Amino acid sequence: MSAREYEDELRAEQEYVTGLYARLDAERARVKARYGAALRSPVDVTNGGTLVDRDAEVRTLAREMQRLDVADHGLCFGRLDAVSGDRSYIGRIGILDEEHDFEPLLLDWRAPAARAFYVATAASPEGMRRRRQFHSRGRHVVEFTDEVLGRPDGTDPDSRGDSALLAAVNAPRGDGMRDIVATIQAAQDEIIRLDHSGVLVIEGGPGTGKTVVALHRVAYLLYTQREQMERHGVLVLGPNSAFLRHIDRVLPSLGETNVVFTTTGDLVPGLHVTAEDTSDAARSKGSLRILDVLAAAIADRQRLPENPIPIELSGVALQIDAETAAWAREEARASGRPHNEARAVFREIVTYVLTERAIGRIGKGWLSRSDRKAWEQMRTELLEELAQDANFTTALDALWPVLSPDSVLAELYSSRERLSAAGADPALWREAGDAWTVSDVPLLDELVELLGRDERVDLAAERERKARTEYAEAVLDSLVSRADHMEDDELRLFATDVLDAEGLAERFVERDTRELAERAAADRDWTYRHIVVDEAQELSEMDWRVLMRRCPSKSFTVVGDLAQRRSSAGATSWDAMLEPYVPGRWVYRSLSVNYRTPAEIMAVAAALLAEFAPGVQPPDSVRACGVQPWSANVDSGELTSAIEEFERGEAGRDGTSVVIGPPDVPGAVPASEAKGLEFDAVLVVEPERILADGPRGAAELYVALTRATQRLGVLHRGPLPQALAGLVEVAANSASPEVGCQRGG
C-alpha cells in the first residue's frame, strides 16, 4: 500500500483500539464500583448471608479488577483477516459487544478462534489471508506490519512477518522475564495448547523459550479449565529465588494469580534451604534407596527393653518385659500406620497386658472372667490410672517415642552408629545434623509421611476448634432467633448489631482470609491441580516423589535440558525419571530455535557442548548480530580492574549485565544462580576454574556462556580452555565490546 493508504489504515486501527480501551475503562469502573459496594455492604444473616460469602464476592471482584488492569498494557496486538472477509482482533483478554448479541470485539489470545494468529503460514493459511501485528506504546498504535498468507512460495514484497519477533528478541532486557503473548511462534503455540492431561516434557537448549512457553501453557490451562484449576491452584518450581523473581511477572501480566512460586528448598513450609551437598551426598540422598535408610532409622527407634521396666498399678508390681514389647511392636508395625499413629496400637497392646495381669492378681479368688461387667469396670479404672502414670508414659516414650522429621534426620546424620545401623552411606555423616541442605528437604517431607501426626497435638487442636465452633454457632443462632421476631424496620436498624455480633463470633472461629496462593504455600498437605517444574533435569528421584504427592492428578509441565544438568542426582533420561510415576502418561516435545543467544555466541557454546555432550544438537539461533564474543588474558593484578571496566562500559547502555565466575571473584555470581536468566551482556570470569569442576563444571560453563542476548566477554588467568578457542582474543585494557546486535541480524 502507498504511504497515504498506510497512514489511513494506521489511523483506523488507532480508532478501533481506542474504542477497545474505552470499553475496558468502562468495565473497570463498573467492577471497581461493585467491589467498593461489596466491601461496604452489610451481611443479611436473615437470608442466609455470611461474611464468608461476602469475602468470596470481594475476592472474585478483586481478581477481575487485576485482570482488567494487566490488560491495559498491550491490550490489542494484532488482527486476522479471513478469506471469508471476517476480521478478528487479538489481545490479552476478550471483549464482547453487549449491545450487538455479544459479538467479540477482541479475542482472548487463548481462545480457539485466535489460534490461527500464531500458526497460520503462507503454505498453510488456516483460512486466513492476512495477519497484522501492531507495535504499540501505551495506548498508541505506533505502526503495524502485514503478512499476506496463502502464497505457497511465501513471496510477498510487503511482508515483514518476522519484524515483531526480531524487535522483541533484540530489545534490551529488563528486570524480569516478559510474556511473549504477541509473538508466540507456531511450534510454541502447539505446545501451549497441547491437549494432554498427564506429564508434558518440554526440552530445549538455552534460549529456546521453554520456560515462557510453560508459563503461557499454564495461562492457557487456567483459561480453558478455570474452575478445576482455580480450586487448587498451580505450583511453579524453579531452581533458585533469583530465577523465580525473574519469571514471577509473566503469569500476573496474563491476568493469572492463583500460582505459587517456590524452589525445592522451600517445599516444606517453614524451611528455606539453599545450601548444597557434596556430589556423593546429593547422589545418595536423591536415590530412592534412601527410603530403606529412613525406614530403618525409624525402626531403630522402636525398641525393646534391655531389662524389664517396673510399673506399679493399684498397688500391684508389674513390668513391661521384652516379650510384651516385642508383641506390641509387631502389632504396631503390622497395622501399616505411620510411626506416630502406630504408637496407639503399641500402647493398646502394652496396656492390655498390664491391665490383664493386674486384674488377675487383684481379683484373684473373687473375680471371675465370666463376670464381664465387673472385669471391664476394673479395666476402665486401671486404664485411667495408667493414663496418669508418669512412669508408664516415660516407658512408652523410651520404647515407642513420638518422633519429628527433623529430629530423626538430624540424629541420623550426626551419629555414625545410627547411619551404620540404618545401612546408610557414611558420606551422609556431618557434625551438625540439622545443617539442612536442599537434598534434605525431600527426606524431611518423606518423614512426614512415615511418621504421621502426633495424635496428642491433633486431639488438643480438635478440642479447641470444636469449642470455638460451638460458641460461634450459639452466637449466630441467637442473632437469627432475634431477627425472626423483628419487623422490617427493626431489621434495618439491627444490621449494625448483626455485623458487630458476627465480628464477636469470628473472634472464636478463625476464618482464613488469605488468597489461595498464600494458603497453598503454607500448607504442606495442599495438593495442586497442575505443577510446572523448571530446570527439571536437576531434580532427583526423591524430589519427584515429593512433587507427585503434591499433585494427585499427575498433571505436570516439565521444562528442562539434559545437557545442562549439573546435579549428580539429576535426570539422565526423562523416561527413567518419569515412567515409574506416570507409566504411559507422559509425552515429549522439543524446541530447537534459540531466540536469546546470537549465532556468534552460540557457536562458542556449541563447541563446548560438543566436548561434554557430543550427542546433543545445539539450538539454532534465530539471529546473528555481527559482534564477536571476546576473551582477554589477565593476571591477578588486572582482574579486578578488567571487571570494573566491563561494568563501567555496560553502565551507559540500555539493558542488563552480569559477571559470572567462581565464588571468590568479587561481584561475580555463580553459574548455578544465573540459570534460566538472561542479560544483554555477560562477562565470564576464569572459565578454566569453572570447567575444572568435572562434568558439573562443563555444564555450568555452558550455562554461563548462553546467558547473553547481545554481548559476551571472557576473562581468563590460566590457559583458555580449548573449547573456547572461537573467542576473539583482545588486549586486557580493551576488554569491552563496542556494539550490540543489530535489529534483523
Side-chain angles (χ1 to χ4, degrees):
M1 64 182 71
S2 67
R4 182 180 180 83
E5 290 172 329
Y6 181 88
E7 290 300 324
D8 289 343
E9 280 281 295
L10 184 61
R11 192 160 34 251
E13 299 293 22
Q14 179 64 64
E15 289 176 2
Y16 191 89
V17 170
T18 298
L20 293 176
Y21 274 112
R23 291 177 180 271
L24 176 68
D25 291 339
E27 178 65 8
R28 188 156 41 200
R30 186 182 69 83
V31 173
K32 185 176 181 179
R34 286 184 57 199
Y35 177 78
L39 285 176
R40 294 188 300 270
S41 65
V43 178
D44 185 2
V45 295
T46 61
N47 289 323
T50 67
L51 285 176
V52 174
D53 294 333
R54 187 178 67 182
D55 282 351
E57 182 184 9
V58 168
R59 289 183 185 182
T60 299
L61 292 169
R63 284 196 297 270
E64 180 64 9
M65 282 199 305
Q66 184 176 40
R67 186 181 77 92
L68 296 173
D69 284 341
V70 299
D72 200 53
H73 177 70
L75 173 63
C76 177
F77 47 78
R79 190 183 96 187
L80 275 175
D81 295 352
V83 173
S84 64
D86 292 337
R87 178 180 295 176
S88 302
Y89 286 84
I90 316 298
R92 289 183 176 275
I93 64 172
I95 295 179
L96 301 176
D97 187 350
E98 298 181 6
E99 299 173 359
H100 297 88
D101 298 326
F102 293 92
E103 283 292 316
L105 299 173
L106 183 67
L107 286 176
D108 190 299
W109 68 273
R110 296 165 288 192
R115 180 175 175 272
F117 184 77
Y118 300 110
V119 302
T121 64
S124 180
E126 301 281 325
M128 301 295 155
R129 66 180 182 84
R130 175 163 49 196
R131 170 171 44 223
R132 175 168 289 179
Q133 293 177 291
F134 299 149
H135 175 210
S136 301
R137 290 196 190 98
R139 298 187 170 197
H140 182 60
V141 181
V142 177
E143 62 179 357
F144 66 81
T145 59
D146 281 349
E147 184 177 5
V148 176
L149 305 170
R151 299 186 179 185
D153 60 358
T155 58
D156 176 14
D158 297 322
S159 176
R160 294 180 286 167
D162 290 335
S163 62
L165 173 64
L166 291 172
V169 298
N170 277 315
R173 268 40 181 184
D175 292 334
M177 179 179 283
R178 298 166 296 190
D179 66 63
I180 58 169
V181 64
T183 58
I184 294 171
Q185 301 300 291
Q188 297 171 330
D189 186 79
E190 179 188 350
I191 294 172
I192 290 169
R193 298 175 193 265
L194 185 66
D195 183 15
H196 179 69
S197 60
V199 177
L200 167 63
V201 175
I202 308 173
E203 183 164 27
T208 52
K210 52 189 181 293
T211 296
V212 75
V213 166
L215 295 176
H216 282 69
R217 175 168 169 78
V218 169
Y220 175 76
L221 293 174
L222 284 164
Y223 176 80
T224 57
Q225 305 174 25
R226 177 71 61 187
E227 184 177 347
Q228 306 97 302
M229 297 285 283
E230 283 197 335
R231 190 177 302 121
H232 293 280
V234 174
L235 175 67
V236 176
L237 187 78
N240 53 57
S241 298
F243 174 82
L244 294 180
R245 288 193 297 271
H246 180 63
I247 69 170
D248 66 5
R249 300 178 187 178
V250 175
L251 284 168
S253 77
L254 298 172
E256 307 299 350
T257 57
N258 287 335
V259 181
V260 175
F261 293 88
T262 193
T263 68
T264 51
D266 296 310
L267 275 174
V268 174
L271 278 183
H272 175 65
V273 183
T274 58
E276 294 188 359
D277 274 304
T278 64
S279 292
D280 289 343
R283 187 183 302 109
S284 179
K285 293 177 183 180
S287 169
L288 291 181
R289 290 189 293 273
I290 199 69
L291 293 172
D292 294 333
V293 172
L294 298 179
I298 295 172
D300 185 50
R301 308 297 292 274
Q302 301 164 353
R303 299 182 174 178
L304 305 180
E306 295 181 3
N307 298 302
I309 301 174
I311 299 291
E312 184 175 320
L313 191 56
S314 290
V316 176
L318 304 169
Q319 62 184 19
I320 303 174
D321 53 31
E323 182 180 5
T324 299
W327 177 31
R329 184 172 71 175
E330 181 181 353
E331 291 295 324
R333 288 176 175 176
S335 71
R337 300 183 190 179
H339 169 87
N340 289 335
E341 297 170 23
R343 175 183 163 106
V345 179
F346 183 88
R347 179 190 180 109
E348 181 181 358
I349 298 298
V350 173
T351 54
Y352 171 80
V353 171
L354 292 177
T355 54
E356 283 288 305
R357 289 174 179 173
I359 293 171
R361 294 184 189 180
I362 295 171
K364 188 176 182 180
W366 65 269
L367 181 60
S368 169
R369 185 176 287 275
S370 61
D371 188 354
R372 198 67 189 165
K373 185 175 181 180
W375 194 283
E376 290 302 326
Q377 177 62 33
M378 184 174 291
R379 181 191 298 281
T380 299
E381 294 172 357
L382 292 173
L383 287 174
E384 291 175 353
E385 184 179 342
L386 269 180
Q388 304 300 319
D389 190 320
N391 290 334
F392 179 65
T393 301
T394 300
L396 280 179
D397 289 342
L399 301 177
W400 197 284
V402 174
L403 299 175
S404 66
D406 53 347
S407 66
V408 170
L409 206 56
E411 291 169 14
L412 175 67
Y413 289 155
S414 59
S415 169
R416 288 189 170 90
E417 291 75 18
R418 289 188 189 275
L419 286 170
S420 177
D425 187 339
L428 300 188
W429 181 87
R430 64 188 181 214
E431 187 173 357
D434 59 355
W436 305 124
T437 65
V438 173
S439 302
D440 292 327
V441 174
L443 276 60
L444 290 167
D445 190 80
E446 186 68 32
L447 283 167
V448 173
E449 297 290 312
L450 296 174
L451 296 176
R453 305 285 187 182
D454 182 346
E455 63 174 2
R456 296 172 300 182
V457 174
D458 285 351
L459 287 172
E462 177 61 22
R463 284 195 295 268
E464 183 179 2
R465 187 199 64 78
K466 185 176 181 181
R468 290 183 176 185
T469 301
E470 289 174 350
Y471 183 87
E473 288 175 348
V475 171
L476 294 176
D477 286 346
S478 174
L479 289 171
V480 173
S481 177
R482 288 173 59 192
D484 285 342
H485 298 87
M486 291 182 177
E487 300 296 332
D488 289 344
D489 290 343
E490 292 178 300
L491 280 173
R492 282 193 292 272
L493 294 173
F494 186 51
T496 302
D497 291 337
V498 169
L499 290 175
D500 290 343
E502 275 207 85
L504 174 65
E506 288 187 14
R507 291 172 55 191
F508 295 89
V509 179
E510 293 184 7
R511 291 187 307 112
D512 197 336
T513 59
R514 296 171 297 172
E515 293 295 332
L516 180 143
E518 294 178 90
R519 289 183 283 127
D523 185 354
R524 183 261 169 192
D525 296 323
W526 189 278
T527 57
Y528 296 91
R529 184 65 181 84
H530 189 79
I531 295 180
V532 175
V533 184
D534 210 314
E535 301 294 345
Q537 72 278 355
E538 307 297 345
L539 268 61
S540 69
E541 292 176 317
M542 287 299 295
D543 290 326
W544 279 111
R545 189 173 172 87
V546 174
L547 292 178
M548 291 294 171
R549 270 199 292 269
R550 299 289 198 275
C551 187
S553 65
K554 305 296 187 289
S555 178
F556 284 75
T557 299
V558 176
V559 178
D561 179 11
L562 295 178
Q564 295 187 58
R565 179 179 67 89
R566 59 183 295 272
S567 171
S568 58
T572 54
S573 80
W574 301 117
D575 182 79
M577 196 61 80
L578 296 173
E579 193 65 20
Y581 298 106
V582 283
R585 283 197 61 215
W586 69 278
V587 297
Y588 176 88
R589 295 292 185 272
S590 64
L591 293 169
S592 59
V593 177
N594 189 332
Y595 299 99
R596 175 203 300 147
T597 318
E600 292 85 351
I601 297 176
M602 198 61 220
V604 175
L608 174 64
L609 180 67
E611 284 197 357
F612 78 91
V616 178
Q617 183 69 26
D620 296 323
S621 295
V622 76
R623 82 209 199 279
C625 68
V627 177
Q628 293 298 321
W630 54 269
S631 65
N633 191 355
V634 296
D635 58 32
S636 299
E638 297 173 319
L639 181 61
T640 300
S641 61
I643 293 174
E644 291 174 349
E645 183 179 349
F646 167 81
E647 292 173 339
R648 282 195 300 272
E650 290 301 328
R653 300 177 187 271
D654 291 334
T656 59
S657 63
V658 70
V659 177
I660 300 176
D664 58 351
V665 174
V669 302
S672 58
E673 292 186 13
K675 221 167 193 187
L677 309 183
E678 58 183 20
F679 306 87
D680 292 88
V682 172
L683 181 67
V684 178
V685 180
E686 298 192 271
E688 65 275 19
R689 290 179 57 196
I690 300 175
L691 196 57
D693 195 15
R696 180 161 71 176
E700 292 216 335
L701 182 55
Y702 182 62
V703 169
L705 295 173
T706 54
R707 297 308 94 195
T709 67
Q710 304 281 347
R711 302 173 293 281
L712 171 68
V714 172
L715 298 178
H716 60 103
R717 290 199 293 174
L720 188 68
Q722 181 59 38
L724 305 186
L727 293 168
V728 175
E729 189 75 18
V730 300
N733 59 4
S734 63
S736 180
E738 296 301 323
V739 293
C741 296
Q742 302 302 310
R743 179 173 297 186

